[in-house]
Structures are given as C-alpha cells and as structure tokens.
Amino acid sequence: MAGFGLSTFAQANISPAKPQDKKTIIMGAKIHVGNGTVIENGYLIFDKGKILGVGDATVAKFDLTGSTVITANGKHVYPGFIAPITNLGLTEYESVKATLDFSEIGTYNPHIRALVAYNTDSKVPATLRSNGVLMAQITPQGGVISGSSSVVQLDAWNWEDAALRKDDAQHMTWPVVPRFRGGFGGGGRMGMTSPDALKERTQAQINELDQLFTEAKAYTETDKPTVTNARLAAMKHMFDGQEKLFITVDGQKDIIAAVNFAKKHGVTPVIVGGDEAYLITAFLKDNNISVVVKQPHALPNNLDDDVNMPYKNAGILANAGVNVVLSIDGYWQQRNLPFMAGTVAAWGLDKEKALQTITLNTAKILGLDKTVGSLETGKDATFLISAGDALDMKSNTVEKAFIQGRDINLDNLHKQLDRKFSEKYNAEKK
C-alpha cells in the first residue's frame, strides 16, 4: 500500500507540458539527424511544435530576436527514441492482477484495441522519458492474434491526447512445432507426443489461420454483410494496407512460411524476434521485410549458436540491406532501449545506423516517418538534448526533451526517491 501511495504522489507532480508558445533555437549542438547525417556544430529551429530548420550553425544567418535560445555547445541532439511492441501503460504492478490489462481470453482477438486501455497516469512512462524514449507502440499480448497496437507519445492527459497513430498494426504469433527432445517417458505431455503428431497439430493451427484470413478478406470486401462479425471486421485494414501484420517468429523456416502466408493474403508483414533471420538475409531483402530484433542483451536460443549472436544479429541484417528495428520485452525495461542500440553499434553496426534502429527505422514500420524519426524540416519537434552520448549508459544524461515542441518535465519516481534518500543520508553525515 505504501508503494501505491508513493507512485501516486510522484505522478501528481508531473503534469503534461503546455503547448509551445515561442520560437526556440538550439545552438551549437552535435545534431544526430537520424537519417545517418551528423552536424558537428548545428542549429535546430522549431515553432508551434514543428521543425522549421536544421543546419550548420557556423554558416547560418538568422535573426534571434524574440526567440528562446538554448546554447548546447558540446552536447548532443537526437530524435526522440521510439519503443516498439511494449505493454507500457497496460500494466503497472506485475504482482497485482487488477493492474494487468495487456491480454484477453481467447485465441483470435483482432478486435481488441490496446489504445483504449492505455493508462497515461502510469508512473513508468516518466522513467522512459528520462532516457530519451518519447514514443511507444502500445501492444496487446496473448493468443495467436492478440489485437491491434497504437503509437503514443509519452506526455499526455489521456489516451486520446497521447495517440500519434491509432491501430497501426495487428499482432500475431506464428504457430511453430515445439522442440521435441526425444523419449516417451518423462517430459510431461510433450514427452508423450510424437514428433509427427506435433507437426500435424501445428499444421492444423496454420490451416485454421488460413481459413480465418480467407473469411476475413471475403467479409471485408462485402458491402453490407448480413451478419455483423466484429473479429472479421477488425481485420479489414490489413487488406487495404492501412495496418501491417507483426508476426512473432524466430526460426528461419518458420519466418519464410510466415512471410509467404502474409503475401498469399495480401497483407504487409513485419517479422518480430527473428533469432535466425540472419541466416536468410537475401530472402528478407528481396521481399522487403522489416525485422524487429528483440532482446539484444540475451543468451542465444540454440545451443550451437555463437554466444554473441544476439549482439550481432541486428548488424548482420542491417549491413545486408534489411530494415532493422530494436525492441525489448516488458515495460520498465524500455528505458534501456538506447543502450541496446549502443550494444549493436559495438558489434558490427555503424553508430548512426544503430541510432536509426530506434528512430527512423522504427518510424517507417509504424507509418510515422513523415512526422517523426528524424530531425528534418516540417517534422514534429520531438527530440532530446543529452550532455553525452545517449547510446552509452555511462554518458547518457538527458537534460531536456521536447514532444511536439513542448518542453516536457523529466522528473520521475526514481529521481524523487534518489533525492529523498540522498537528503536523508547527507543530513545524517552533518
């Protein structure tokens, strides 16, 4: 109960920022545009929430009268980081069932919308903002088809204010054959099932999915269905291209099967996980498939894999021409997203390309690259200023952050606790 009261108190002190009311100019910073370009001594001008100009401060000439000028010499400016595939705002306390709202009962739930359950009063988003994560794809879980995700900005009064893009994608877990470890003695139910039976069961699940997608496409192409079916109706925008299909799958053969399934039904797939995607880079590139690499800080899934493969996977894919995005499981952990990008940069990926895996590449797969993901004229002024390298855990120090031009509050529960107990122990030393 004490923890609940403290988190409520912390959030009461953090209100969403007010709209930008004056033109602002950032001067002298090292600007990481997000598209691979770096401006060593740059300027960034924004007004009414939009970027008006980005360039080299050493040659630029403009009138500073009436503008707010932020001197950022020696500091770094980055586009706001984007956390894909997270149950952020859908869960608060893992041990309290009433605060868990990320999954529904049932196997096929395309009609479930994560956005309407998103809790802007959660104490967690503020901790993400402090590390530069300013946007997130709020995603449902569970079943074979979990429902639709939406993209939000992390400084809002309610989910309507937070929404950047509603219902951007449906999320599906591809049926795979469980690994058979041999023997019919121990091992529980799987140990009592033959490999052939497991394959048949998995194929039956795929056939059921195939039937569902066929029925959904026929239903959505009917002008006035005689019977309303909410599940089938919710799949409409996959077939007209407004929504993508995010498919969680790891094995190379399963990835190929999932992509071919999506192409058969005329939907745009994005592979999530893709542990063995590095083995089929040519296939992925030829089919223009993006891959969301999960958990770069993890152990390999296969016993005979290179122990460093989770670090290398993103670099191998990106260097082969595949659009790569990084993600982390869970919600608290999202604050470490920039450090995941720093890790893949240390294992074979150019630093600015690593930055793109949490900015522009992510914006592309979410259908938001025209407004966020890079610091370009006309886009939202959603960015951060860090005293050091934001992808490095040792030097990441986010001093300011803006969402659509609004100068947001970077305080959070963790900082409040740090101040509280620092004051306590400092007082005891005197």
Side-chain angles (χ1 to χ4, degrees), residues 163-191:
L164 291 178
R165 186 176 180 203
K166 299 178 181 178
D167 305 313
D168 68 289
Q170 288 282 342
H171 293 260
M172 182 174 81
T173 300
W174 185 252
V176 298
V177 179
R179 293 186 180 182
F180 185 74
R181 302 189 183 281
F184 291 88
R189 293 182 179 180
M190 191 179 298

PDB file of all heavy atoms in Angstrom, residues 163-191:
ATOM      1  N   ALA A 163      -2.357   9.609 -28.499  1.00  0.00           N
ATOM      2  CA  ALA A 163      -2.295   8.861 -29.757  1.00  0.00           C
ATOM      3  C   ALA A 163      -1.620   9.640 -30.883  1.00  0.00           C
ATOM      4  O   ALA A 163      -2.014  10.763 -31.209  1.00  0.00           O
ATOM      5  CB  ALA A 163      -3.697   8.452 -30.186  1.00  0.00           C
ATOM      6  N   LEU A 164      -0.595   9.034 -31.464  1.00  0.00           N
ATOM      7  CA  LEU A 164       0.052   9.557 -32.672  1.00  0.00           C
ATOM      8  C   LEU A 164      -0.488   8.842 -33.905  1.00  0.00           C
ATOM      9  O   LEU A 164      -0.669   9.431 -34.958  1.00  0.00           O
ATOM     10  CB  LEU A 164       1.562   9.362 -32.597  1.00  0.00           C
ATOM     11  CG  LEU A 164       2.324  10.193 -31.572  1.00  0.00           C
ATOM     12  CD1 LEU A 164       3.804   9.830 -31.593  1.00  0.00           C
ATOM     13  CD2 LEU A 164       2.147  11.685 -31.831  1.00  0.00           C
ATOM     14  N   ARG A 165      -0.712   7.524 -33.748  1.00  0.00           N
ATOM     15  CA  ARG A 165      -1.336   6.758 -34.822  1.00  0.00           C
ATOM     16  C   ARG A 165      -2.151   5.639 -34.212  1.00  0.00           C
ATOM     17  O   ARG A 165      -1.616   4.802 -33.473  1.00  0.00           O
ATOM     18  CB  ARG A 165      -0.297   6.186 -35.785  1.00  0.00           C
ATOM     19  CG  ARG A 165      -0.995   5.530 -36.972  1.00  0.00           C
ATOM     20  CD  ARG A 165      -0.083   5.019 -38.035  1.00  0.00           C
ATOM     21  NE  ARG A 165      -0.890   4.431 -39.090  1.00  0.00           N
ATOM     22  CZ  ARG A 165      -0.459   3.522 -39.955  1.00  0.00           C
ATOM     23  NH1 ARG A 165       0.794   3.124 -39.906  1.00  0.00           N
ATOM     24  NH2 ARG A 165      -1.247   3.032 -40.868  1.00  0.00           N
ATOM     25  N   LYS A 166      -3.422   5.646 -34.499  1.00  0.00           N
ATOM     26  CA  LYS A 166      -4.315   4.637 -33.945  1.00  0.00           C
ATOM     27  C   LYS A 166      -4.337   3.385 -34.818  1.00  0.00           C
ATOM     28  O   LYS A 166      -4.385   3.482 -36.046  1.00  0.00           O
ATOM     29  CB  LYS A 166      -5.730   5.207 -33.821  1.00  0.00           C
ATOM     30  CG  LYS A 166      -5.840   6.416 -32.907  1.00  0.00           C
ATOM     31  CD  LYS A 166      -7.255   6.959 -32.876  1.00  0.00           C
ATOM     32  CE  LYS A 166      -7.363   8.188 -31.979  1.00  0.00           C
ATOM     33  NZ  LYS A 166      -8.733   8.763 -31.967  1.00  0.00           N
ATOM     34  N   ASP A 167      -4.283   2.226 -34.165  1.00  0.00           N
ATOM     35  CA  ASP A 167      -4.423   0.940 -34.846  1.00  0.00           C
ATOM     36  C   ASP A 167      -3.476   0.811 -36.036  1.00  0.00           C
ATOM     37  O   ASP A 167      -3.896   0.660 -37.176  1.00  0.00           O
ATOM     38  CB  ASP A 167      -5.874   0.733 -35.307  1.00  0.00           C
ATOM     39  CG  ASP A 167      -6.856   0.863 -34.149  1.00  0.00           C
ATOM     40  OD1 ASP A 167      -6.603   0.267 -33.092  1.00  0.00           O
ATOM     41  OD2 ASP A 167      -7.871   1.570 -34.311  1.00  0.00           O
ATOM     42  N   ASP A 168      -2.192   0.873 -35.735  1.00  0.00           N
ATOM     43  CA  ASP A 168      -1.183   0.825 -36.793  1.00  0.00           C
ATOM     44  C   ASP A 168      -0.918  -0.590 -37.289  1.00  0.00           C
ATOM     45  O   ASP A 168      -0.457  -0.776 -38.419  1.00  0.00           O
ATOM     46  CB  ASP A 168       0.138   1.427 -36.292  1.00  0.00           C
ATOM     47  CG  ASP A 168       0.785   0.563 -35.232  1.00  0.00           C
ATOM     48  OD1 ASP A 168       0.250   0.514 -34.103  1.00  0.00           O
ATOM     49  OD2 ASP A 168       1.810  -0.078 -35.507  1.00  0.00           O
ATOM     50  N   ALA A 169      -1.175  -1.609 -36.443  1.00  0.00           N
ATOM     51  CA  ALA A 169      -0.839  -2.985 -36.835  1.00  0.00           C
ATOM     52  C   ALA A 169      -1.619  -4.000 -36.022  1.00  0.00           C
ATOM     53  O   ALA A 169      -2.019  -3.747 -34.881  1.00  0.00           O
ATOM     54  CB  ALA A 169       0.659  -3.228 -36.658  1.00  0.00           C
ATOM     55  N   GLN A 170      -1.814  -5.172 -36.624  1.00  0.00           N
ATOM     56  CA  GLN A 170      -2.305  -6.350 -35.906  1.00  0.00           C
ATOM     57  C   GLN A 170      -1.092  -7.183 -35.500  1.00  0.00           C
ATOM     58  O   GLN A 170      -0.054  -7.151 -36.170  1.00  0.00           O
ATOM     59  CB  GLN A 170      -3.235  -7.182 -36.776  1.00  0.00           C
ATOM     60  CG  GLN A 170      -4.592  -6.573 -37.031  1.00  0.00           C
ATOM     61  CD  GLN A 170      -5.546  -6.719 -35.849  1.00  0.00           C
ATOM     62  OE1 GLN A 170      -5.324  -7.557 -34.970  1.00  0.00           O
ATOM     63  NE2 GLN A 170      -6.588  -5.910 -35.825  1.00  0.00           N
ATOM     64  N   HIS A 171      -1.229  -7.950 -34.416  1.00  0.00           N
ATOM     65  CA  HIS A 171      -0.098  -8.721 -33.897  1.00  0.00           C
ATOM     66  C   HIS A 171      -0.459 -10.199 -33.793  1.00  0.00           C
ATOM     67  O   HIS A 171      -1.498 -10.559 -33.233  1.00  0.00           O
ATOM     68  CB  HIS A 171       0.343  -8.171 -32.542  1.00  0.00           C
ATOM     69  CG  HIS A 171       0.920  -6.798 -32.649  1.00  0.00           C
ATOM     70  ND1 HIS A 171       2.285  -6.561 -32.657  1.00  0.00           N
ATOM     71  CD2 HIS A 171       0.322  -5.592 -32.815  1.00  0.00           C
ATOM     72  CE1 HIS A 171       2.494  -5.268 -32.806  1.00  0.00           C
ATOM     73  NE2 HIS A 171       1.325  -4.656 -32.901  1.00  0.00           N
ATOM     74  N   MET A 172       0.416 -11.024 -34.362  1.00  0.00           N
ATOM     75  CA  MET A 172       0.159 -12.459 -34.443  1.00  0.00           C
ATOM     76  C   MET A 172       1.403 -13.250 -34.045  1.00  0.00           C
ATOM     77  O   MET A 172       2.530 -12.834 -34.342  1.00  0.00           O
ATOM     78  CB  MET A 172      -0.258 -12.835 -35.875  1.00  0.00           C
ATOM     79  CG  MET A 172      -0.589 -14.306 -36.075  1.00  0.00           C
ATOM     80  SD  MET A 172      -1.243 -14.626 -37.732  1.00  0.00           S
ATOM     81  CE  MET A 172       0.270 -14.692 -38.684  1.00  0.00           C
ATOM     82  N   THR A 173       1.199 -14.363 -33.372  1.00  0.00           N
ATOM     83  CA  THR A 173       2.285 -15.291 -33.059  1.00  0.00           C
ATOM     84  C   THR A 173       2.162 -16.491 -33.982  1.00  0.00           C
ATOM     85  O   THR A 173       1.127 -17.169 -34.004  1.00  0.00           O
ATOM     86  CB  THR A 173       2.215 -15.754 -31.588  1.00  0.00           C
ATOM     87  OG1 THR A 173       2.329 -14.615 -30.737  1.00  0.00           O
ATOM     88  CG2 THR A 173       3.344 -16.723 -31.274  1.00  0.00           C
ATOM     89  N   TRP A 174       3.196 -16.738 -34.771  1.00  0.00           N
ATOM     90  CA  TRP A 174       3.149 -17.807 -35.765  1.00  0.00           C
ATOM     91  C   TRP A 174       3.225 -19.177 -35.074  1.00  0.00           C
ATOM     92  O   TRP A 174       4.099 -19.399 -34.234  1.00  0.00           O
ATOM     93  CB  TRP A 174       4.301 -17.671 -36.753  1.00  0.00           C
ATOM     94  CG  TRP A 174       4.262 -18.650 -37.884  1.00  0.00           C
ATOM     95  CD1 TRP A 174       5.084 -19.721 -38.076  1.00  0.00           C
ATOM     96  CD2 TRP A 174       3.345 -18.641 -38.978  1.00  0.00           C
ATOM     97  NE1 TRP A 174       4.739 -20.386 -39.230  1.00  0.00           N
ATOM     98  CE2 TRP A 174       3.658 -19.746 -39.797  1.00  0.00           C
ATOM     99  CE3 TRP A 174       2.276 -17.823 -39.337  1.00  0.00           C
ATOM    100  CZ2 TRP A 174       2.953 -20.038 -40.959  1.00  0.00           C
ATOM    101  CZ3 TRP A 174       1.570 -18.117 -40.499  1.00  0.00           C
ATOM    102  CH2 TRP A 174       1.918 -19.206 -41.289  1.00  0.00           C
ATOM    103  N   PRO A 175       2.319 -20.106 -35.417  1.00  0.00           N
ATOM    104  CA  PRO A 175       2.369 -21.444 -34.813  1.00  0.00           C
ATOM    105  C   PRO A 175       3.639 -22.186 -35.245  1.00  0.00           C
ATOM    106  O   PRO A 175       3.968 -22.221 -36.440  1.00  0.00           O
ATOM    107  CB  PRO A 175       1.126 -22.138 -35.382  1.00  0.00           C
ATOM    108  CG  PRO A 175       0.230 -21.023 -35.858  1.00  0.00           C
ATOM    109  CD  PRO A 175       1.161 -19.945 -36.308  1.00  0.00           C
ATOM    110  N   VAL A 176       4.362 -22.730 -34.291  1.00  0.00           N
ATOM    111  CA  VAL A 176       5.589 -23.478 -34.589  1.00  0.00           C
ATOM    112  C   VAL A 176       5.541 -24.829 -33.896  1.00  0.00           C
ATOM    113  O   VAL A 176       4.870 -25.001 -32.874  1.00  0.00           O
ATOM    114  CB  VAL A 176       6.857 -22.711 -34.146  1.00  0.00           C
ATOM    115  CG1 VAL A 176       6.986 -21.404 -34.902  1.00  0.00           C
ATOM    116  CG2 VAL A 176       6.842 -22.441 -32.651  1.00  0.00           C
ATOM    117  N   VAL A 177       6.281 -25.764 -34.449  1.00  0.00           N
ATOM    118  CA  VAL A 177       6.364 -27.098 -33.858  1.00  0.00           C
ATOM    119  C   VAL A 177       7.244 -27.027 -32.614  1.00  0.00           C
ATOM    120  O   VAL A 177       8.391 -26.576 -32.695  1.00  0.00           O
ATOM    121  CB  VAL A 177       6.966 -28.104 -34.855  1.00  0.00           C
ATOM    122  CG1 VAL A 177       7.067 -29.489 -34.220  1.00  0.00           C
ATOM    123  CG2 VAL A 177       6.119 -28.160 -36.126  1.00  0.00           C
ATOM    124  N   PRO A 178       6.739 -27.437 -31.451  1.00  0.00           N
ATOM    125  CA  PRO A 178       7.580 -27.433 -30.241  1.00  0.00           C
ATOM    126  C   PRO A 178       8.800 -28.319 -30.443  1.00  0.00           C
ATOM    127  O   PRO A 178       8.756 -29.317 -31.173  1.00  0.00           O
ATOM    128  CB  PRO A 178       6.659 -28.008 -29.164  1.00  0.00           C
ATOM    129  CG  PRO A 178       5.278 -27.806 -29.684  1.00  0.00           C
ATOM    130  CD  PRO A 178       5.384 -27.924 -31.169  1.00  0.00           C
ATOM    131  N   ARG A 179       9.886 -27.926 -29.840  1.00  0.00           N
ATOM    132  CA  ARG A 179      11.102 -28.724 -29.970  1.00  0.00           C
ATOM    133  C   ARG A 179      10.924 -30.070 -29.280  1.00  0.00           C
ATOM    134  O   ARG A 179      10.618 -30.136 -28.096  1.00  0.00           O
ATOM    135  CB  ARG A 179      12.292 -27.983 -29.364  1.00  0.00           C
ATOM    136  CG  ARG A 179      12.645 -26.729 -30.145  1.00  0.00           C
ATOM    137  CD  ARG A 179      13.913 -26.101 -29.626  1.00  0.00           C
ATOM    138  NE  ARG A 179      14.250 -24.906 -30.376  1.00  0.00           N
ATOM    139  CZ  ARG A 179      15.334 -24.183 -30.163  1.00  0.00           C
ATOM    140  NH1 ARG A 179      16.174 -24.525 -29.207  1.00  0.00           N
ATOM    141  NH2 ARG A 179      15.573 -23.110 -30.877  1.00  0.00           N
ATOM    142  N   PHE A 180      11.132 -31.128 -30.041  1.00  0.00           N
ATOM    143  CA  PHE A 180      10.965 -32.481 -29.499  1.00  0.00           C
ATOM    144  C   PHE A 180      12.306 -32.977 -28.972  1.00  0.00           C
ATOM    145  O   PHE A 180      13.292 -33.021 -29.695  1.00  0.00           O
ATOM    146  CB  PHE A 180      10.457 -33.420 -30.602  1.00  0.00           C
ATOM    147  CG  PHE A 180      10.153 -34.807 -30.108  1.00  0.00           C
ATOM    148  CD1 PHE A 180       9.028 -35.046 -29.342  1.00  0.00           C
ATOM    149  CD2 PHE A 180      11.002 -35.861 -30.408  1.00  0.00           C
ATOM    150  CE1 PHE A 180       8.744 -36.323 -28.889  1.00  0.00           C
ATOM    151  CE2 PHE A 180      10.727 -37.136 -29.952  1.00  0.00           C
ATOM    152  CZ  PHE A 180       9.598 -37.374 -29.197  1.00  0.00           C
ATOM    153  N   ARG A 181      12.318 -33.312 -27.716  1.00  0.00           N
ATOM    154  CA  ARG A 181      13.577 -33.703 -27.075  1.00  0.00           C
ATOM    155  C   ARG A 181      13.748 -35.206 -26.948  1.00  0.00           C
ATOM    156  O   ARG A 181      14.653 -35.685 -26.286  1.00  0.00           O
ATOM    157  CB  ARG A 181      13.670 -33.037 -25.703  1.00  0.00           C
ATOM    158  CG  ARG A 181      13.586 -31.513 -25.805  1.00  0.00           C
ATOM    159  CD  ARG A 181      13.896 -30.834 -24.508  1.00  0.00           C
ATOM    160  NE  ARG A 181      13.751 -29.391 -24.605  1.00  0.00           N
ATOM    161  CZ  ARG A 181      14.632 -28.569 -25.141  1.00  0.00           C
ATOM    162  NH1 ARG A 181      15.763 -29.047 -25.628  1.00  0.00           N
ATOM    163  NH2 ARG A 181      14.411 -27.278 -25.194  1.00  0.00           N
ATOM    164  N   GLY A 182      12.868 -35.956 -27.579  1.00  0.00           N
ATOM    165  CA  GLY A 182      13.044 -37.412 -27.628  1.00  0.00           C
ATOM    166  C   GLY A 182      12.494 -38.115 -26.419  1.00  0.00           C
ATOM    167  O   GLY A 182      12.340 -37.548 -25.341  1.00  0.00           O
ATOM    168  N   GLY A 183      12.190 -39.408 -26.600  1.00  0.00           N
ATOM    169  CA  GLY A 183      11.737 -40.225 -25.486  1.00  0.00           C
ATOM    170  C   GLY A 183      10.247 -40.088 -25.252  1.00  0.00           C
ATOM    171  O   GLY A 183       9.630 -39.086 -25.559  1.00  0.00           O
ATOM    172  N   PHE A 184       9.654 -41.123 -24.720  1.00  0.00           N
ATOM    173  CA  PHE A 184       8.232 -41.115 -24.416  1.00  0.00           C
ATOM    174  C   PHE A 184       8.006 -41.377 -22.942  1.00  0.00           C
ATOM    175  O   PHE A 184       6.921 -41.697 -22.516  1.00  0.00           O
ATOM    176  CB  PHE A 184       7.500 -42.180 -25.250  1.00  0.00           C
ATOM    177  CG  PHE A 184       7.464 -41.852 -26.705  1.00  0.00           C
ATOM    178  CD1 PHE A 184       8.498 -42.250 -27.551  1.00  0.00           C
ATOM    179  CD2 PHE A 184       6.434 -41.108 -27.242  1.00  0.00           C
ATOM    180  CE1 PHE A 184       8.468 -41.938 -28.898  1.00  0.00           C
ATOM    181  CE2 PHE A 184       6.409 -40.798 -28.583  1.00  0.00           C
ATOM    182  CZ  PHE A 184       7.425 -41.207 -29.424  1.00  0.00           C
ATOM    183  N   GLY A 185       9.070 -41.225 -22.150  1.00  0.00           N
ATOM    184  CA  GLY A 185       8.938 -41.459 -20.725  1.00  0.00           C
ATOM    185  C   GLY A 185       8.551 -40.186 -20.012  1.00  0.00           C
ATOM    186  O   GLY A 185       7.391 -39.825 -19.914  1.00  0.00           O
ATOM    187  N   GLY A 186       9.548 -39.438 -19.507  1.00  0.00           N
ATOM    188  CA  GLY A 186       9.270 -38.181 -18.800  1.00  0.00           C
ATOM    189  C   GLY A 186       9.012 -37.071 -19.774  1.00  0.00           C
ATOM    190  O   GLY A 186       8.778 -37.278 -20.955  1.00  0.00           O
ATOM    191  N   GLY A 187       9.053 -35.863 -19.235  1.00  0.00           N
ATOM    192  CA  GLY A 187       8.908 -34.697 -20.105  1.00  0.00           C
ATOM    193  C   GLY A 187       7.504 -34.188 -20.225  1.00  0.00           C
ATOM    194  O   GLY A 187       7.199 -33.395 -21.097  1.00  0.00           O
ATOM    195  N   GLY A 188       6.558 -34.689 -19.394  1.00  0.00           N
ATOM    196  CA  GLY A 188       5.205 -34.143 -19.415  1.00  0.00           C
ATOM    197  C   GLY A 188       4.453 -34.531 -20.667  1.00  0.00           C
ATOM    198  O   GLY A 188       4.745 -35.531 -21.332  1.00  0.00           O
ATOM    199  N   ARG A 189       3.489 -33.712 -21.029  1.00  0.00           N
ATOM    200  CA  ARG A 189       2.621 -34.033 -22.165  1.00  0.00           C
ATOM    201  C   ARG A 189       3.395 -34.087 -23.474  1.00  0.00           C
ATOM    202  O   ARG A 189       3.144 -34.906 -24.341  1.00  0.00           O
ATOM    203  CB  ARG A 189       1.500 -32.998 -22.266  1.00  0.00           C
ATOM    204  CG  ARG A 189       0.519 -33.055 -21.092  1.00  0.00           C
ATOM    205  CD  ARG A 189      -0.595 -32.049 -21.267  1.00  0.00           C
ATOM    206  NE  ARG A 189      -1.546 -32.122 -20.163  1.00  0.00           N
ATOM    207  CZ  ARG A 189      -2.618 -31.344 -20.060  1.00  0.00           C
ATOM    208  NH1 ARG A 189      -2.846 -30.421 -20.988  1.00  0.00           N
ATOM    209  NH2 ARG A 189      -3.432 -31.472 -19.038  1.00  0.00           N
ATOM    210  N   MET A 190       4.346 -33.129 -23.639  1.00  0.00           N
ATOM    211  CA  MET A 190       5.104 -33.116 -24.883  1.00  0.00           C
ATOM    212  C   MET A 190       5.923 -34.388 -25.022  1.00  0.00           C
ATOM    213  O   MET A 190       6.098 -34.919 -26.119  1.00  0.00           O
ATOM    214  CB  MET A 190       6.020 -31.892 -24.942  1.00  0.00           C
ATOM    215  CG  MET A 190       6.640 -31.676 -26.313  1.00  0.00           C
ATOM    216  SD  MET A 190       7.698 -30.219 -26.360  1.00  0.00           S
ATOM    217  CE  MET A 190       6.490 -28.957 -25.988  1.00  0.00           C
ATOM    218  N   GLY A 191       6.413 -34.905 -23.885  1.00  0.00           N
ATOM    219  CA  GLY A 191       7.196 -36.130 -23.932  1.00  0.00           C
ATOM    220  C   GLY A 191       6.384 -37.328 -24.359  1.00  0.00           C
ATOM    221  O   GLY A 191       6.925 -38.330 -24.810  1.00  0.00           O
TER     222      GLY A 191
END
